[in-house]
Amino acid sequence: MAMNPNSNLSSSRSSRKMEAVAQATAIEKRSPTLRKQKKHRQVQEVETEYLDGPQVYACSQCRTHLTSHDDIISKSFHGRHGRAYLFDHCVNVTIGPAEDRILMTGLHSVNDIFCVRCKKLVGWTYTKAYEQSQKYKEGKFIIEKINLYLEEGNDYDTPTPAGEKQDRWRRRSQSWGSDASLDVVYEYKPSGSAPTSPVLRGKSCLPSCGSPPTSPK
């Protein structure tokens, strides 16, 4: 019985294709650069939400939008690595498992939050506060300033207060603020310092840590 030449040709093409795929896979396994490029392509394919506004806070590593200036509740927090902001709402983050964590403001149930694109740990969210004075933080998000990149839009006109020049108002309204002007809420002990404070159950707590921040925005 005569062999079908088309069948042989198709089989040969399929075989060559499988060999090419196997060779590419072997090369990729041996090449760290190719593995990084593949991972980068996978990162780029993640669907994210784009925020519009005059001031948008993005991930400092990959510039994925996380939240906006309008969602700031307080700039007076201090996290693991320095100054941190308390936000009402965040996007493009994945939430880790809940765990009870003893912070300097007391016992809380918190979840770490990660940038959905680059997987960087950017902060945490409060699931539950066990002390009544800390209930205002439940459902809110902490992102440390070191993990934020501020995008400023020039297409938005902000009304200038009476008696204030436009250039001065623009600088002040879009400023990140001054650390010295706020009553800081310490969630973690500042590195390189030893603040004097009472000790509760073996954990230090600053005198001002029991009340909500008084200077939002």
Side-chain angles (χ1 to χ4, degrees), residues 2-15:
M3 297 291 293
N4 187 345
N6 292 332
S7 176
N8 291 337
L9 182 61
S10 176
S11 176
S12 176
R13 287 177 178 174
S14 176
S15 177

